[in-house]
Amino acid sequence: WITTNGLGGYSSSTVLGINTRKYHGILVAAFNPPTDRRVLLTKLDEEIRVGDSKYLLGSNEFKNNIFPRGYEFLSGFSLNPFPTFKYDMNGVQVEKVVLMPYEKNVVIVTYDIFNPRENEISMHVCPLVNSRHFHSLTNKDELEWGFIQEQNEGKITIQTSIPLSTLILSAGDGRYFPSKGEWVRGIYFRVDDSMGYSCLDDVFQPGKFEFKLASKERRKFHILAVGGEDEEEAEKIFSSVFKEPVDLDVLYDKELKRLKGLLTRFQERYADVEMEDWLKWLILAADSFIVSRKSVGKKSVIAGYYWFEDWGRDSLISLPGLTLVTGRFDDAREILLTFKQYCHKGVIPNRFPDSAGAKPEYNTVDASLWYFNAVLQFLKYTGDFDFVRRELWDTLQSIVEHHVKGTVYNIHVDSDGLLAHGPQLTWMDAMIGDKAVTPRDGKAVEIQALWYNALKTMELLAKHFSQPVDAEEYALMAEKAKRSFVEEFWDGQRGYLADVVNANGKDSSLRPNQVIAVSLDFCMLDKEKSKSIVDVVWRKLWGVYGLRTLWIDRAIDPSSPSLYIGRYEGDWARRNRAYHNGCVWAWLTGPFVTSFLKVHGYSKEKRDYAFENFLKPLFTEELYRAGLGTVSEIFDGDEPHLPRGCIS
């Protein structure tokens, strides 16, 4: 499960409460939103004392055992909409709810406890804390610093002895007992181990909170955790959210109201749509990716949880679904402005690294082209040409100009009017060492489709902005690209498009990238060719939750090397070889379904068929398989298509 805060920070673990990855934590705070994410509060482990009996509710895995085994008392778990655990210890009932207030590096954990016994009972809550970047692990023996804690006015401030982070904990009316500085050593992360990563983590146990309940009493307790880069920042956040315990109930109600508002707004836009649970989950999942970027003071998009930052192509591909379908038009404007601000030499950033102070990386050919498509979709939903003319038009013109004259990474318009580029610049960008797994240098098929779509979008805009000379120039460029594209990429024998054309000839590997050429608003292909492409891709590449990234047809290419890898497992190198050479990708379902309906028609029968066969498994089955209520990044190419990669 995962719940997020709109800053890139999150709270996440498993239903059993066992952390299985280094990315798990109750409070993972983004110090430079949405990046520089650090695990500050790893866990809260609870203990119920009833007379002489102790019930340990926490669960931690070590290399050779699980201790304690608190999941044995777990009677229920739900996301409705916050992660909620229910425990039962011979009638003593505990409900634990995890909440992240919006746009704050804060977690509130609420305990609702019922004591049916004749005697008083007590609950102890033990925080396990850390101060590490979420890509790293802590080894106590290698640390050059320690933890320092100070208890003052109902709050506990825990800092590192050298400036790294500050964590403030508070429990309202609970008593706190500091420890002598105990460590829990060697917590084991089984998922990281399975992928060949370091998998042991040490965490600091600063003390424990104690709460007491009288006989037959039901009470609520809160534990508040606040993270900051330094004490001043943490104190500022703490004072903004907490003055007395009732404030935490107000924050709970406020966040609940915000999430209900997202569902209500969607229902108002689509009054005839039945709001089933899977659809509610998707709407709330969409909200989790829209984040504030501190560097520009505007919105951006997290590409995936846990480890992705805001990437250019991911943000712009997903912008229509995240912001336009959901009616979040102001967020769409801000995302477009964020990437405009970072446009450099006509190139939109590929990604913003997670390390503090790192500069954007520009090694992409498609992010800039997806920008045009995002603008086009924005106009279809809003009709806000004034915004595009005022804020984006100059940037759009500059991108085209830089591509025509040539820009970074050998991106340039070739003599045939198509867009040439260097290796490892498309979305199939996996690397092993310094070598691209699928280099695709030259002219990749979806890049040409996006380039043509961009030119036709510019022609449309130039006409609307009364610039006929520019409109004619864009139209001529688009027509030249179209003629060359069909001539160079269409393979009549196979009935589909080459994946890449370069100086060495054509790479006719059957890959899904060509469906983008069918799906875009401005398409270079006639209906017959489009239908052939969709049918071939459907037969060979469809994999229940999306499209496989490769198929080798031995009947046509008996000498082709065996590039296809059907399972995404093993060490980094093997997984990177499989990433774009067999894995099923969920994001490709979008352009595929769009293409399917374009060539087969938009009748109710075809739309129902597309939903039942292409979307429903992803939206109703997958939401329960890896990250609850959200969609996995990739799946094995081989059945049963196990979820892999990012859980969200």
Side-chain angles (χ1 to χ4, degrees):
W1 58 267
I2 182 168
T3 184
T4 63
N5 66 357
L7 295 176
Y10 62 84
S11 180
S12 183
S13 186
T14 64
V15 170
L16 297 186
I18 298 174
N19 289 351
T20 60
R21 306 168 183 258
K22 60 177 171 279
Y23 298 106
H24 284 159
I26 295 297
L27 176 57
V28 181
F31 283 172
N32 183 32
T35 59
D36 194 13
R37 287 169 284 186
R38 305 189 72 85
V39 179
L40 301 185
L41 179 60
T42 303
K43 300 197 68 199
L44 291 173
D45 281 351
E46 303 83 15
E47 174 188 297
I48 299 289
R49 296 191 178 186
V50 182
D52 294 332
S53 300
K54 289 197 301 184
Y55 301 92
L56 304 178
L57 305 190
S59 299
N60 294 301
E61 185 166 17
F62 299 89
K63 193 71 174 179
N64 298 310
N65 70 315
I66 295 176
F67 179 83
R69 306 172 74 91
Y71 59 84
E72 294 175 347
F73 302 111
L74 190 66
S75 61
F77 177 88
S78 67
L79 278 177
N80 195 26
F82 310 122
T84 302
F85 302 80
K86 293 184 178 180
Y87 298 91
D88 192 318
M89 290 71 60
N90 295 325
V92 176
Q93 298 170 6
V94 176
E95 182 178 276
K96 173 183 178 181
V97 180
V98 181
L99 165 73
M100 292 200 90
Y102 190 57
E103 294 193 329
K104 296 184 185 298
N105 283 317
V106 171
V107 165
I108 301 166
V109 180
T110 300
Y111 296 94
D112 188 332
I113 311 174
F114 174 61
N115 174 21
R117 302 302 183 89
E118 298 297 331
N119 301 317
E120 180 184 75
I121 67 171
S122 63
M123 181 174 77
H124 294 167
V125 180
C126 301
L128 302 180
V129 307
N130 219 314
S131 179
R132 60 174 174 83
H133 193 275
F134 74 163
H135 287 318
S136 66
L137 292 171
T138 297
N139 183 333
K140 178 183 180 295
D141 296 334
E142 297 176 356
L143 293 181
E144 298 178 353
W145 49 267
F147 283 103
I148 302 168
Q149 62 174 315
E150 179 182 346
Q151 189 173 355
N152 184 34
E153 296 180 355
K155 66 177 184 287
I156 297 88
T157 302
I158 302 169
Q159 296 178 289
T160 49
S161 56
I162 61 174
L164 292 175
S165 66
T166 298
L167 176 68
I168 296 177
L169 299 174
S170 180
D173 54 1
R175 295 179 62 196
Y176 180 72
F177 299 92
S179 72
K180 296 179 181 179
E182 299 171 3
W183 285 79
V184 179
R185 306 292 303 270
I187 289 180
Y188 170 69
F189 300 136
R190 62 167 67 191
V191 174
D192 296 333
D193 191 18
S194 73
M195 296 191 289
Y197 295 136
S198 299
C199 58
L200 298 177
D201 196 34
D202 298 340
V203 293
F204 182 68
Q205 185 177 319
K208 63 184 178 182
F209 295 96
E210 181 185 64
F211 307 93
K212 293 184 179 292
L213 275 85
S215 171
K216 312 298 183 182
E217 184 181 16
R218 177 183 291 276
R219 289 184 65 187
K220 268 190 178 182
F221 304 105
H222 301 288
I223 289 186
L224 171 68
V226 175
E229 198 166 7
D230 52 40
E231 186 173 4
E232 181 182 359
E233 182 181 73
E235 287 282 0
K236 184 178 179 180
I237 299 171
F238 181 85
S239 62
S240 73
V241 299
F242 184 73
K243 293 183 176 61
E244 50 185 294
V246 70
D247 292 341
L248 303 184
D249 287 323
V250 170
L251 282 173
Y252 180 95
D253 292 340
K254 183 178 180 181
E255 181 61 8
L256 189 61
K257 182 179 179 181
R258 189 185 75 84
L259 297 180
K260 285 182 176 179
L262 298 175
L263 301 178
T264 299
R265 177 165 55 185
F266 191 92
Q267 181 70 88
E268 289 172 348
R269 288 179 59 80
Y270 308 102
D272 59 337
V273 173
E274 185 178 351
M275 295 289 284
E276 298 183 49
D277 283 346
W278 65 263
L279 180 55
K280 294 177 182 178
W281 273 16
L282 286 180
I283 295 165
L284 298 182
D287 175 68
S288 72
F289 299 104
I290 301 172
V291 295
S292 294
R293 169 155 276 283
K294 182 180 179 181
S295 63
V296 292
K298 293 181 175 64
K299 298 294 186 184
S300 189
V301 175
I302 285 288
Y305 293 100
Y306 304 103
W307 48 82
F308 284 126
E309 309 87 6
D310 40 347
W311 287 58
R313 73 170 60 89
D314 304 64
S315 299
L316 299 166
I317 289 170
S318 63
L319 181 144
L322 298 183
T323 66
L324 301 179
V325 174
T326 57
R328 301 175 67 155
F329 302 143
D330 287 340
D331 290 337
R333 291 182 181 90
E334 288 195 15
I335 293 165
L336 291 171
L337 290 173
T338 291
F339 285 95
K340 167 199 168 178
Q341 188 159 333
Y342 281 100
C343 187
H344 176 67
K345 294 184 178 179
V347 179
I348 297 291
N350 186 30
R351 64 183 283 260
F352 296 91
D354 206 279
S355 53
K359 294 181 179 179
E361 297 175 0
Y362 288 88
N363 54 326
T364 172
V365 64
D366 55 339
S368 311
L369 305 178
W370 282 113
Y371 192 81
F372 290 87
N373 189 64
V375 170
L376 179 61
Q377 305 312 314
F378 172 80
L379 288 170
K380 286 163 65 176
Y381 277 83
T382 68
D384 192 353
F385 282 89
D386 289 342
F387 169 77
V388 174
R389 180 71 179 91
R390 183 178 66 254
E391 299 288 351
L392 309 180
W393 180 236
D394 289 347
T395 299
L396 295 172
Q397 287 183 304
S398 173
I399 293 173
V400 174
E401 289 168 4
H402 275 90
H403 282 57
V404 169
K405 70 182 181 183
T407 184
V408 296
Y409 296 99
N410 198 28
I411 298 169
H412 65 278
V413 176
D414 209 349
S415 58
D416 57 4
L418 298 176
L419 195 64
H421 52 84
Q424 208 251 329
L425 298 179
T426 72
W427 78 278
M428 291 186 164
D429 57 359
M431 300 281 287
I432 298 178
D434 59 356
K435 186 177 180 180
V437 178
T438 47
R440 304 183 77 224
D441 55 314
K443 299 166 188 173
V445 63
E446 79 278 12
I447 302 307
Q448 313 316 314
L450 287 162
W451 174 238
Y452 177 80
N453 191 65
L455 292 172
K456 296 298 286 185
T457 299
M458 291 298 285
E459 178 190 351
L460 180 153
L461 291 174
K463 288 178 179 177
H464 194 87
F465 299 150
S466 301
Q467 299 184 13
V469 175
D470 288 342
E472 178 66 16
E473 182 180 355
Y474 295 131
L476 291 172
M477 292 170 63
E479 185 59 33
K480 183 176 182 180
K482 180 177 180 178
R483 287 196 304 270
S484 298
F485 179 77
V486 175
E487 180 181 324
E488 296 180 34
F489 280 82
W490 178 249
D491 189 321
Q493 179 188 3
R494 292 176 169 88
Y496 60 83
L497 296 168
D499 189 59
V500 179
V501 173
N502 56 30
N504 298 320
K506 294 182 180 180
D507 177 359
S508 293
S509 303
L510 179 55
R511 293 187 182 273
N513 304 301
Q514 58 193 296
V515 297
I516 294 170
V518 181
S519 69
L520 295 170
D521 288 74
F522 296 107
C523 177
M524 293 182 280
L525 301 161
D526 60 36
K527 189 164 184 177
E528 183 181 353
K529 291 183 176 66
S530 295
K531 186 176 185 304
S532 178
I533 290 167
V534 170
D535 289 348
V536 170
V537 168
W538 184 9
R539 287 198 316 272
K540 300 294 189 181
L541 296 178
W542 182 250
V544 181
Y545 304 108
L547 295 178
R548 293 182 182 89
T549 38
L550 179 65
W551 176 264
I552 301 296
D553 193 332
R554 296 298 177 198
I556 295 178
D557 290 319
S559 62
S560 291
S562 182
L563 297 175
Y564 175 83
I565 301 175
R567 294 177 65 85
Y568 183 80
E569 58 187 8
D571 61 17
W572 173 257
R574 177 174 171 79
R575 284 183 287 115
N576 261 7
R577 280 193 290 271
Y579 205 38
H580 300 115
N581 288 314
C583 281
V584 168
W585 284 71
W587 84 267
L588 292 166
T589 306
F592 175 72
V593 172
T594 300
S595 301
F596 175 87
L597 293 175
K598 283 181 78 170
V599 302
H600 290 285
Y602 296 90
S603 67
K604 184 179 186 304
E605 179 188 6
K606 291 300 182 184
R607 286 186 286 117
D608 288 346
Y609 183 92
F611 176 75
E612 290 292 329
N613 291 276
F614 305 139
L615 296 174
K616 191 174 182 179
L618 187 67
F619 289 167
T620 60
E621 298 170 13
E622 159 59 12
L623 297 187
Y624 294 89
R625 299 209 312 162
L628 279 174
T630 190
V631 175
S632 295
E633 176 194 8
I634 56 174
F635 306 84
D636 284 342
D638 291 347
E639 294 181 348
H641 306 298
L642 294 176
R644 306 284 190 177
C646 280
I647 63 153
S648 182

